[in-house]
Amino acid sequence: GNETFAANVAYETVLSTVAPVADPTREGYKFLGWYAQGTGVPFNGKMPATDVVYEASFTAGDHTQYIIEIYMMDTDGQYSMSTTTVSHGVTGAIVTIVPSTATGFTFDASLSELSKEIAADGSTTLKIYYARDLYTVTWDVDGLETEEEVYFGAAIVAPEDPAKDGYTFAGWDPA
């Protein structure tokens, strides 16, 4: 919260002897100094010949934490977090991540959060989701086709060996 200190002080009195004030802190920001309200004149340690209010001045911190979470779809179609990275940037700045490519996966924009303002408290989290590509496997026995969809990287289970009078099943050939 805001703290106020008021006192009657004689002209040219060294202010630090009246009310020693530690440099204030503000999460995600750096303290620049004290400046006279309304004029921007920096605090010089002595009482001016007029009433004065000094305000703390801050600048955005340049090492504020934000988190990047990467989610990859499993072979069962559910997402799980695969990577978490802690990065740093300037408080209040907009940070944006760019999706990369990964074999067998497609960027899922509907779930991803690629751009946000870096919160002073370090709570900003960007999320990027990659959906596993889904492919069709077709089993063809003498023109009779059976299809199934299988996620990239998932195990493919062949159907029962087909039977045909006068023939011995030799296996499946990729088309």
Side-chain angles (χ1 to χ4, degrees), residues 49-124:
T50 183
D51 292 341
V52 65
V53 173
Y54 286 103
E55 295 179 320
S57 180
F58 295 90
T59 188
D62 60 1
H63 198 71
T64 305
Q65 171 182 295
Y66 66 93
I67 297 169
I68 300 170
E69 296 176 348
I70 299 175
Y71 294 85
M72 305 293 279
M73 184 182 282
D74 298 323
T75 57
D76 63 1
Q78 301 298 310
Y79 285 99
S80 63
M81 190 179 343
S82 68
T83 306
T84 300
T85 304
V86 176
S87 293
H88 297 87
V90 176
T91 299
I94 301 297
V95 64
T96 301
I97 55 175
V98 178
S100 60
T101 58
T103 300
F105 292 87
T106 302
F107 165 66
D108 186 345
S110 69
L111 296 175
S112 297
E113 300 173 38
L114 301 179
S115 187
K116 286 186 176 179
E117 181 178 317
I118 299 175
D121 65 1
S123 64
T124 301

Side-chain angles (χ1 to χ4, degrees), residues 136-148 159 172 175:
T136 301
V137 175
T138 304
W139 305 98
D140 184 346
V141 178
D142 291 335
L144 178 61
E145 294 182 350
T146 304
E147 293 183 348
E148 64 179 294
W172 297 99

